[in-house]
Amino acid sequence: MPLTRSLDESTVVITGASSGIGAATAYALARRGAAVVLAARSEPALRQVARRCRELGGRALVVPTDVTELESVRRLADQAAAEFGRIDAWVNNAAVSAVGLFDEIPVAEFRRVLEVNLLGAVHGIKAALPYLGAAGGGVLVNNASVLAEVAMPYQSAYNATKHGIRGLADTVRQELRVTGRGHISVCTVLPATIDTPFFRHTGNHSGRELVPPPPIYPPEVVAETIVRLLRRPRREAYAGARPG
Ligand SMILES: NC(=O)c1ccc[n+]([C@@H]2O[C@H](COP(=O)([O-])OP(=O)(O)OC[C@H]3O[C@@H](n4cnc5c(N)ncnc54)[C@H](OP(=O)(O)O)[C@@H]3O)[C@@H](O)[C@H]2O)c1
């Protein structure tokens, strides 16, 4: 089921909103008059994104959040609903990576990638579902990657989390349907390589410079895909080229 209200009446929570695809999604929604709730760890960066959202015609709330902590994510949901009255959609978008041969990535760093990308999405879904139900329905979008479909060497931790997000989304969707909550849609977006600071934020154990694999698409391509999913939910949507 799509959003129960038009975008200019909707409240959308976005994790990883301080940068890249999350910020671009916030701008795309703000342009359509939505209320956006911006979550990430860096408050100054979130404040800049919020300022731009308001210039574009949206309403914006900044909630500094660490998605690895369930309580932090629950607080995000509570503050979003307290400020705007309800939550209509939730975008799990925060992620990190660690590049290198599997043998070279320390377990602590592997764990960090799992905690941010996969457990962060688990926390987001846990926090969002009660509010989406209370709103009479809504849309949950998980930003995965084409690396949820194919594996890429030197990206074992990231690949594992993105495959995991796809399986998690499919399972939650099935469970919502069989428990009478089919009015909450669960969508997975599978972007190709996107031009964001992601590769500069990535832990690099490869001993080489990281060069994102072409073709490279602007973050607005993913943002517009997410907007389309909110209006017309589908199980999955590619953003940029599909894996060959
Ligand atoms: N760029 C690509 O080529 C590409 C391709 C496919 C999929 N994706 C996916 O797109 C999503 C966004 O990535 P991006 O390219 O826009 O990268 P990005 O610019 O590095 O953004 C990552 C975001 O995640 C946030 N974040 C990291 N750790 C966090 C934590 N513990 N708690 C809360 N927020 C946290 C960061 O903010 P703070 O540091 O302020 O917390 C930042 O806002 C990710 O899920 C990524 O896997 C990217």
Side-chain angles (χ1 to χ4, degrees):
M1 196 174 117
L3 292 176
T4 54
R5 297 162 185 84
S6 58
L7 277 176
D8 61 351
E9 293 181 326
S10 293
T11 302
V12 184
V13 178
I14 306 165
T15 71
S18 62
S19 174
I21 293 166
T25 303
Y27 301 147
L29 290 166
R31 244 180 236 114
R32 285 143 170 123
V36 289
V37 183
L38 308 171
R41 292 164 306 168
S42 166
E43 186 166 356
L46 289 174
R47 292 210 171 283
Q48 274 190 15
V49 175
R51 201 170 309 127
R52 179 80 187 123
C53 286
R54 292 185 193 111
E55 286 167 8
L56 291 168
R59 290 156 292 151
L61 174 70
V62 164
V63 186
T65 304
D66 186 334
V67 297
T68 65
E69 295 169 10
L70 177 59
E71 278 322 302
S72 179
V73 182
R74 284 208 199 281
R75 211 163 35 243
L76 163 65
D78 294 344
Q79 287 188 23
E83 178 79 11
F84 296 119
R86 61 175 179 270
I87 298 172
D88 300 288
W90 184 290
V91 184
N92 279 321
N93 169 75
V96 295
S97 187
V99 171
L101 285 176
F102 174 81
D103 321 61
E104 290 165 349
I105 299 176
V107 169
E109 205 165 328
F110 211 101
R111 181 179 292 119
R112 179 81 194 152
V113 177
L114 295 174
E115 284 180 349
V116 175
N117 301 10
L118 189 51
L119 208 54
V122 169
H123 293 160
I125 297 171
K126 290 247 182 224
L129 285 182
Y131 282 107
L132 297 177
V139 185
L140 194 83
V141 178
N142 298 297
N143 190 0
S145 165
V146 291
L147 297 185
E149 184 159 307
V150 293
M152 182 182 269
Y154 292 86
Q155 293 262 35
S156 53
Y158 185 80
N159 289 339
T161 63
K162 296 302 184 175
H163 277 69
I165 282 177
R166 204 179 192 192
L168 174 69
D170 285 347
T171 314
V172 172
R173 185 183 312 103
Q174 289 168 356
E175 291 183 1
L176 288 173
R177 203 176 307 133
V178 298
T179 52
R181 291 175 289 169
H183 55 308
I184 301 174
S185 301
V186 181
C187 312
T188 305
V189 58
L190 305 159
T193 307
I194 309 297
D195 183 14
T196 73
F198 187 75
F199 296 93
R200 292 202 296 279
H201 297 159
T202 295
N204 183 1
H205 298 269
S206 68
R208 310 215 173 161
E209 189 192 346
L210 297 184
V211 181
I216 300 175
Y217 299 85
E220 290 74 22
V221 168
V222 190
E224 290 303 321
T225 303
I226 292 173
V227 170
R228 275 197 298 280
L229 286 173
L230 298 184
R231 287 179 159 151
R232 283 223 347 235
R234 286 158 45 196
R235 183 173 154 262
E236 291 186 341
Y238 292 89
R242 289 180 66 143

